[in-house]
């Protein structure tokens, strides 16, 4: 039975309990890190059976709770740092990000108001100023840390929607949506992230409001098609409230032509939001920063640090070019961001966020930049992009592997395809690749993505991990081939 005071506080007994709990947990992490397997390979049914919810009404105490978490959670977690764990935009994390989590968690500051997070509020604001500078925005602090790309995209689309209505003298915030809503459109490429659709549904305009623009052979938005669709929209009496450009599509890593899109949008007085959840990492790159040419021209930007900035989940940001647009979501709560406080210049970040209570995730990026410096950050980001190019070259030389698209960021799309199979067997090839991906995860040896690109079911390597080498990937590809052969001849 647990009899200890469970609260973290200044008492000696609490401090001792804290130290013990943290030491026990970090020791468990060390043992887990030493495990050679990527995953224990348990099936859904096995894990469902194993994980028992049987809380003891008397409580077990910290030590036993940690032991049980090791059994139920840690042992069967996926090793995201493993060289063969390359399915998703799911990064291994920086050691310093772990240290930041200790500080964030123990202090439990909340970013909504100054009186809940004084130093944290200023650190976040200074980091936003720094990020704006990196992007090429004017001086200022319009922007905020978010839970990730989905929320940042929601903020961009919401402010675009409300700015659109405001231009017509209407406040969505006060009066809700009015007019012929079926005529309101958002344009994005056919490879944009699905959160555009989900967010438009949330914003009351539905999936029907999303018009997909064609892409070129590198999965980048086709600006000719965009121009044509804008003309068509005008002819149909439709109104385009935003264009969402993507800097780093989830699978292909494609970066839309930001400058051209911004130019077209400016000619038509349309808000541009850039979803740079993945490609935003190139802001720190030494070799590839120019891929983001034109990003400084757009109205709002999504950045995600729990992707190729190697921060623990969650950690994202939203940047807004013109601070005045924050007025569109202004809400003053007497207990958090009163007028009195504002007049005194007290920064209460709740005014800039969709969230109220909010974690101090900014500290992770701050400490990452402090610890690594921009130079090392650039090196580990560029590593993934360069490695993807080398892997593509290698795949090209393998008779049974087929490159589905030339890499642009750190992902490689390819498939296993027996050289002798004729084109009529494409459906079988798709199934074979799906089954190969599934079998790899089930074996616990590798996590390779399975996705679809241009109607082709393929495998995906997302090469974020800066410790992974071409040799590691050659081993992985040999395993992919072997597994595919086993799927064919069980
Ligand atoms: C391009 C892009 N945008 C947005 C998101 C959503 O980001 P999050 O998962 O942080 O909400 C993702 C996720 O992979 C993404 O790839």
């Amino acid at each position: 039975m647990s009899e200890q005071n469970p609260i973290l506080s200044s008492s000696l007994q609490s401090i001792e309990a804290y130290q013990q709990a943290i030491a026990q947990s970090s020791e468990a992490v060390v043992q887990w890190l030493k495990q050679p397997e990527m995953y224990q390979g348990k099936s859904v049914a096995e894990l469902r059976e194993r994980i028992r919810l049987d809380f003891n009404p008397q409580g077990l105490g910290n030590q036993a709770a940690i032991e049980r978490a090791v059994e139920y959670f840690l042992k069967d977690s996926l090793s995201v740092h493993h060289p063969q764990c390359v399915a998703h935009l799911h990064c291994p994390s920086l050691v310093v990000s772990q240290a930041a989590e200790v500080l964030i968690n123990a202090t439990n500051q909340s970013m909504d108001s100054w009186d809940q997070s004084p130093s944290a509020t200023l650190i976040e604001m200074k980091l936003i100023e720094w990020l704006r500078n990196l992007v090429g925005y004017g001086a200022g602090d319009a922007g905020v840390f978010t839970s990730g790309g989905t929320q940042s995209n929601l903020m961009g689309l919401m402010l675009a929607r409300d700015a659109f209505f405001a231009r017509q003298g209407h406040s969505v915030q006060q009066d809700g949506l009015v007019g012929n809503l079926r005529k309101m459109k958002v344009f994005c490429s056919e490879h944009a992230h699905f959160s555009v659709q989900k967010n438009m549904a949330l914003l009351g305009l539905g999936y029907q409001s999303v018009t997909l623009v064609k892409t070129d052979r590198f999965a980048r938005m086709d600006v000719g098609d965009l121009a044509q669709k804008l003309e068509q929209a005008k002819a149909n009496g439709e109104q385009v409230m935003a264009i969402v450009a993507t800097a780093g599509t989830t699978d292909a890593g494609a970066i839309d032509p930001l400058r051209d899109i911004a130019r077209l949008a400016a000619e038509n007085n349309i808000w541009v939001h850039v979803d740079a959840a993945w490609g935003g990492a190139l802001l720190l790159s030494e070799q590839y920063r120019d891929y983001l040419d034109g990003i400084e021209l757009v109205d709002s930007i999504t950045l995600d640090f729990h992707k190729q900035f190697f921060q623990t989940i969650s950690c994202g940001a939203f940047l807004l070019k013109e601070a005045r647009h924050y007025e569109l979501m202004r809400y003053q709560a007497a207990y958090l961001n009163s007028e009195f406080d504002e007049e005194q210049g007290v920064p209460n970040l709740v005014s800039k966020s969709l969230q109220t209570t909010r974690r101090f995730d900014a500290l992770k990026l701050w400490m990452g930049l402090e610890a690594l410096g921009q130079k090392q950050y650039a090196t580990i980001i560029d590593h993934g992009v360069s490695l993807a190019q080398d892997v593509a070259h290698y795949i090209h030389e393998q008779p049974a592997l087929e490159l589905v698209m030339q890499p642009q960021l750190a992902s490689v799309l390819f498939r296993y395809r027996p050289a002798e199979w004729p084109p009529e067997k494409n459906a079988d090839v798709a199934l074979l690749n799906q089954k190969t991906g599934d079998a790899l995860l089930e074996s616990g040896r590798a996590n390779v993505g399975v996705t679809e690109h241009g109607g082709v079911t393929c495998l995906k390597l997302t090469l974020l991990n800066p410790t992974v080498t071409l040799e590691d990937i050659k081993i992985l590809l040999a395993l992919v081939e072997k597994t595919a052969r086993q799927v064919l001849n069980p």
Side-chain angles (χ1 to χ4, degrees):
M1 188 204 302
S2 164
E3 283 165 2
Q4 294 168 337
N5 168 10
I7 302 293
L8 180 62
S9 76
S10 61
S11 79
L12 285 181
Q13 181 258 323
S14 172
I15 289 172
E16 203 175 297
Y18 173 72
Q19 285 176 317
Q20 277 172 8
I22 296 293
Q24 186 188 345
S25 303
S26 63
E27 182 50 36
V29 169
V30 169
Q31 295 313 322
W32 172 73
L33 286 169
K34 287 180 178 168
Q35 256 177 214
E37 298 88 11
M38 187 209 64
Y39 174 53
Q40 304 281 352
K42 298 220 172 67
S43 66
V44 178
E46 280 172 299
L47 269 187
R48 188 171 280 137
E49 174 59 28
R50 215 173 105 65
I51 298 174
R52 294 278 165 86
L53 190 158
D54 52 359
F55 301 136
N56 181 326
Q58 309 304 322
L60 301 171
N62 296 344
Q63 189 180 338
I66 295 166
E67 282 164 8
R68 283 164 67 91
V70 171
E71 279 306 307
Y72 285 165
F73 164 60
L74 201 58
K75 281 192 176 164
D76 290 310
S77 286
L78 199 78
S79 295
V80 292
H81 51 275
H82 194 283
Q84 299 191 345
C85 187
V86 290
H88 297 284
L89 280 167
H90 185 179
C91 61
S93 58
L94 298 177
V95 172
V96 77
S97 185
Q98 301 298 329
E101 290 285 10
V102 172
L103 302 181
I104 294 164
N105 294 334
T107 53
N108 207 27
Q109 308 288 283
S110 182
M111 303 307 294
D112 37 344
S113 63
W114 162 263
D115 66 353
Q116 299 179 83
S117 55
S119 50
T121 295
L122 289 182
I123 289 176
E124 172 164 333
M125 287 172 73
K126 283 177 188 273
L127 204 45
I128 291 287
E129 285 172 27
W130 184 86
L131 287 166
R132 290 177 61 90
N133 184 45
L134 207 58
V135 158
Y137 273 179
D141 55 24
V144 75
F145 272 70
T146 65
S147 59
T150 303
Q151 187 188 137
S152 299
N153 285 346
L154 176 60
M155 291 189 77
L157 286 168
M158 186 189 82
L159 292 176
R161 179 196 67 179
D162 296 356
F164 175 86
F165 278 102
R167 284 200 292 275
Q168 297 166 9
H170 179 79
S171 165
V172 175
Q173 199 186 26
Q174 287 298 325
D175 301 318
L177 299 171
V178 289
N180 186 352
L181 302 179
R182 295 194 72 81
K183 293 278 184 194
M184 294 215 49
K185 301 291 168 193
V186 161
F187 284 18
C188 63
S189 95
E190 53 198 1
H191 293 291
H193 191 254
F194 67 82
S195 56
V196 175
Q197 269 86 350
K198 278 180 73 173
N199 286 331
M200 290 312 293
L202 208 59
L203 291 171
L205 296 164
Y207 290 177
Q208 66 83 33
S209 64
V210 182
T211 298
L212 299 182
V213 179
K214 283 187 201 152
T215 49
D216 66 13
R217 67 196 176 95
F218 291 111
R220 299 173 300 204
M221 190 186 282
D222 175 340
V223 181
D225 190 54
L226 173 66
Q228 209 179 331
K229 287 205 160 89
L230 284 172
E231 284 306 314
Q232 189 59 50
K234 259 188 227 164
N236 296 345
E238 291 168 353
Q239 295 187 299
V240 182
M241 57 164 249
I243 300 169
V244 178
T246 310
T249 57
T250 311
D251 285 336
I255 298 179
D256 292 339
L258 305 181
R259 186 170 293 282
D260 293 345
I261 293 169
R263 182 185 42 76
L264 253 183
E267 285 165 14
N268 291 278
N269 202 19
I270 299 170
W271 185 291
V272 182
H273 176 76
V274 170
D275 176 355
W278 184 10
L282 299 186
L283 289 169
L284 288 184
S285 166
E286 288 191 345
Q287 294 183 58
Y288 308 107
R289 171 63 178 84
D290 61 329
Y291 286 13
L292 299 176
D293 174 56
I295 195 167
E296 70 284 1
L297 302 173
V298 309
D299 299 280
S300 54
I301 300 172
T302 287
L303 297 174
D304 228 352
F305 308 109
H306 55 220
K307 294 192 168 59
Q308 213 172 353
F309 283 88
F310 309 103
Q311 296 298 343
T312 54
I313 298 166
S314 59
C315 194
F318 169 73
L319 301 181
L320 181 63
K321 186 174 195 178
E322 291 185 37
R324 69 185 168 95
H325 287 125
Y326 257 138
E327 287 299 313
L328 297 163
M329 56 179 277
R330 183 183 185 79
Y331 190 94
Q332 270 174 313
Y335 79 105
L336 286 177
N337 57 343
S338 65
E339 257 177 66
F340 180 81
D341 263 10
E342 271 184 16
E343 279 162 18
Q344 308 289 315
V346 178
N348 292 308
L349 294 184
V350 69
S351 310
K352 295 180 172 172
S353 175
L354 291 179
Q355 292 173 250
T356 307
T357 300
R358 186 163 59 82
R359 284 168 54 83
F360 180 31
D361 290 313
L363 184 65
K364 295 184 281 195
L365 181 62
W366 179 280
M367 287 174 62
L369 289 160
E370 293 261 46
L372 275 68
Q374 277 191 59
K375 183 98 194 144
Q376 193 181 0
Y377 236 133
T379 306
I380 62 174
I381 290 165
D382 288 350
H383 173 88
V385 184
S386 307
L387 177 62
Q389 290 160 8
D390 296 345
V391 170
H393 191 73
Y394 178 76
I395 286 177
H396 204 63
E397 290 169 347
Q398 309 311 305
L401 299 180
E402 186 180 87
L403 194 64
V404 169
M405 139 154 277
Q406 193 58 36
Q408 294 164 81
L409 283 180
S411 65
V412 184
L413 300 178
F414 72 106
R415 60 180 179 168
Y416 178 84
R417 190 176 208 300
E420 66 282 5
W421 283 19
E424 303 83 81
K425 291 197 75 153
N426 270 347
D428 295 336
V429 176
L431 192 60
L432 173 59
N433 280 274
Q434 176 72 58
K435 286 186 173 172
T436 302
D438 295 350
L440 284 167
L441 182 61
E442 218 169 287
S443 75
R445 297 187 64 188
N447 194 14
V448 167
V450 182
T451 189
E452 208 184 290
H453 185 79
V456 173
T457 298
C458 56
L459 300 174
K460 175 171 76 160
L461 309 178
T462 314
L463 303 171
L464 303 184
N465 190 337
T467 66
V468 167
T469 63
L470 181 59
E471 287 314 306
D472 291 323
I473 301 302
K474 285 182 182 173
I475 293 168
L476 173 58
L477 291 172
L479 182 63
V480 168
E481 290 204 38
K482 186 173 162 204
T483 308
R485 286 194 298 270
Q486 280 166 353
V487 169
L488 280 176
N489 306 301

